């Protein structure tokens, strides 16, 4: 059975490290989305590639970039819920 002393003495280093790694990963997704948009998606949308294949590629590239954006949305609320206890508001 979990005791008060167990709770007080718990080592939270691994949890803290994991939370920091999650923050870093979420921040990295923003950079990946920008890189993908500027280096990959732009190829199909800058007007130099035309035709049916350009349209198909543009659609696929946009979908992939949206997945990067969606991953950020998924990660950010998780970061906030870990940092802010339920029922309280973050400090300004």
């Amino acid at each position: 059975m979990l005791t008060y002393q167990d709770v007080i003495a718990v080592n939270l280093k691994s949890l803290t490290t994991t939370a920091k790694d999650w923050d870093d990963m979420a921040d990295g997704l923003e950079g990946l989305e920008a890189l993908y948009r500027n280096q990959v998606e732009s190829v199909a949308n800058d007007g130099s590639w035309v035709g049916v294949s350009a349209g198909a590629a543009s659609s696929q590239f946009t979908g992939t970039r949206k997945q990067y954006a969606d991953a950020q949305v998924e990660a950010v609320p998780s970061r906030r819920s870990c940092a802010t206890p339920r029922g309280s508001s973050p400090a300004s």
Side-chain angles (χ1 to χ4, degrees), residues 2-86:
L2 188 64
T3 67
Y4 175 78
Q5 189 59 36
D6 292 336
V7 173
I8 297 301
V10 70
N11 181 351
L12 298 176
K13 182 170 175 36
S14 63
L15 182 59
T16 303
T17 300
T18 300
K20 167 127 178 40
D21 290 347
W22 185 265
D23 282 347
D24 293 345
M25 183 270 314
D27 292 340
L29 287 171
E30 185 176 356
L32 284 173
E33 179 193 3
L35 182 67
Y36 189 86
R37 180 182 57 246
N38 296 331
Q39 299 294 318
V40 178
E41 186 178 18
S42 65
V43 170
N45 297 328
D46 67 3
S48 61
W49 186 8
V50 295
V52 175
S53 62
S58 177
S59 177
Q60 291 294 319
F61 294 166
T62 299
T64 300
R65 186 194 40 79
K66 186 176 178 325
Q67 289 178 337
Y68 282 117
D70 291 345
Q72 291 171 62
V73 171
E74 289 292 320
V76 172
S78 298
R79 292 190 321 197
R80 290 185 188 140
S81 67
C82 289
T84 306
R86 212 177 264 180

